[in-house]
Amino acid sequence: MLTAPPVRKTVEVGGTEVSYLEAGLGTPLLLLHGVGHSSTAWLRSIPALARRYRVLAPDMPGHGRSGAPNHAYDPPYFGRFVNDFIAALGLGQVDAAGNSLGGLTLMLAALERPLGFRRLILADPLGFTTSPVPPLDEVMLTVISLWLSFPRTRALIRAGYAASFFDPQRLDDESVDEFVSRRASELHMRVARRTVTAIFHYSKHLEFLHARLSQLQPPALVMWGKNDQVLPSKGVEIARRVLPAPRIEVLERCGHFPHIERSEAFCALVLGFLNAA
């Protein structure tokens, strides 16, 4: 069954205009991207998911076409944003999937509002990989900040993005186009630096988060690309230990973005999990 292409809409959340893609009908399924990405990252997966669900993929604040308010841009801020986005659209209880920062954001949102989420899909999520110990931590953060600040051509941006894939031919050029356009916006680059810095420091001390995750109420599917060079797949073992009985799936020949690189397998696992008894 063919579905109509996603429609771009906007909604005001906490005084900020938030852009999002919507497609399909039925139970709401929220899709959250990672750092630097936007709703564009979900374009390969939306058609299959929208056959069964009302799919909503927001550009998180400071990303894509959404506004960039003056906030800390740390993981708790994004968690609050998700709950406010759900409330602004009057969605009630939702299913939700998140990649990287999006996965951590969903866990934090569900801890604060447990009854707001039915099931969670965490794809290569932050929250299970600790930042390097001193002094390597500040050295790496400096390198990342310089990398974000340095002017680059489209070819270099594409090559850097390709390093996050097992098969570089599977990357999506829509995201590359967006990365290139974002380089022209000092505001977006400043948000990117602040977000990366906040995540880096948050990930130094994950013990409190892991203790809280024992109280996570929605059932969770943790999906990880076996060849993830951004957040190594050994994170699944920590997730298995700290989450309440998660379902674990490791995708072979897959990097950090299963919803892009192996979208068919990703959607099959998501739909199977969401429709399980």
Side-chain angles (χ1 to χ4, degrees):
M1 180 178 65
L2 294 178
T3 58
V7 176
R8 185 162 293 281
K9 300 182 178 181
T10 60
V11 63
E12 185 174 305
V13 180
T16 298
E17 186 174 89
V18 172
S19 177
Y20 66 100
L21 293 177
E22 181 172 345
L25 301 170
T27 302
L29 172 57
L30 191 65
L31 305 178
L32 294 185
H33 60 80
V35 180
H37 256 129
S38 73
S39 55
T40 299
W42 296 101
L43 288 176
R44 287 186 183 170
S45 294
I46 286 175
L49 299 175
R51 294 186 192 113
R52 299 285 298 274
Y53 291 89
R54 178 189 175 191
V55 176
L56 303 110
D59 294 346
M60 291 202 286
H63 294 71
R65 303 185 191 183
S66 288
N70 185 23
H71 278 286
Y73 289 98
D74 57 5
Y77 164 68
F78 287 112
R80 292 190 298 272
F81 159 74
V82 167
N83 284 330
D84 290 344
F85 177 80
I86 292 170
L89 290 178
L91 298 178
Q93 191 178 60
V94 303
D95 290 312
N99 170 240
S100 197
L101 171 61
L104 173 57
T105 295
L106 284 180
M107 290 187 282
L108 293 173
L111 285 170
E112 294 302 321
R113 189 170 169 265
L115 299 181
F117 298 85
R118 192 181 74 95
R119 296 197 175 197
L120 303 179
I121 298 94
L122 312 173
D124 297 66
L126 279 163
F128 304 109
T129 306
T130 305
S131 298
V133 297
L136 290 178
D137 56 346
E138 294 304 327
V139 171
M140 182 173 288
L141 186 56
T142 299
V143 171
I144 292 172
S145 296
L146 287 172
W147 182 81
L148 287 170
S149 302
F150 192 73
R152 294 189 301 279
T153 64
R154 188 181 194 282
L156 285 175
I157 290 172
R158 194 177 194 278
Y161 182 45
S164 301
F165 290 76
F166 173 78
D167 180 1
Q169 299 302 313
R170 291 293 300 158
L171 65 74
D172 58 321
D173 279 302
E174 295 91 344
S175 288
V176 176
D177 292 340
E178 194 167 79
F179 299 153
V180 172
S181 66
R182 191 176 302 140
R183 298 296 300 179
S185 169
E186 176 53 35
L187 175 61
H188 278 94
M189 296 313 300
R190 185 163 63 248
V191 167
R193 289 191 291 269
R194 291 171 66 180
T195 304
V196 169
T197 300
I199 289 170
F200 200 84
H201 288 299
Y202 183 90
S203 298
K204 285 184 179 180
H205 306 287
L206 294 173
E207 299 85 358
F208 178 66
L209 170 67
H210 292 173
R212 292 186 70 201
L213 286 176
S214 65
Q215 305 165 26
L216 190 70
Q217 292 188 24
L221 164 63
V222 179
M223 193 186 313
W224 221 298
K226 184 175 182 179
N227 311 98
D228 189 342
Q229 300 298 312
V230 180
L231 300 174
S233 61
K234 62 185 180 181
V236 297
E237 296 309 320
I238 300 172
R240 193 191 305 274
R241 175 169 56 82
V242 302
L243 289 171
R247 176 177 167 183
I248 303 288
E249 297 285 350
V250 177
L251 293 181
E252 301 284 341
R253 302 174 65 83
C254 184
H256 188 58
F257 306 113
H259 55 303
I260 300 173
E261 186 164 13
R262 296 201 55 196
S263 58
E264 186 174 336
F266 171 84
C267 291
L269 287 170
V270 167
L271 292 172
F273 176 68
L274 294 182
N275 290 288

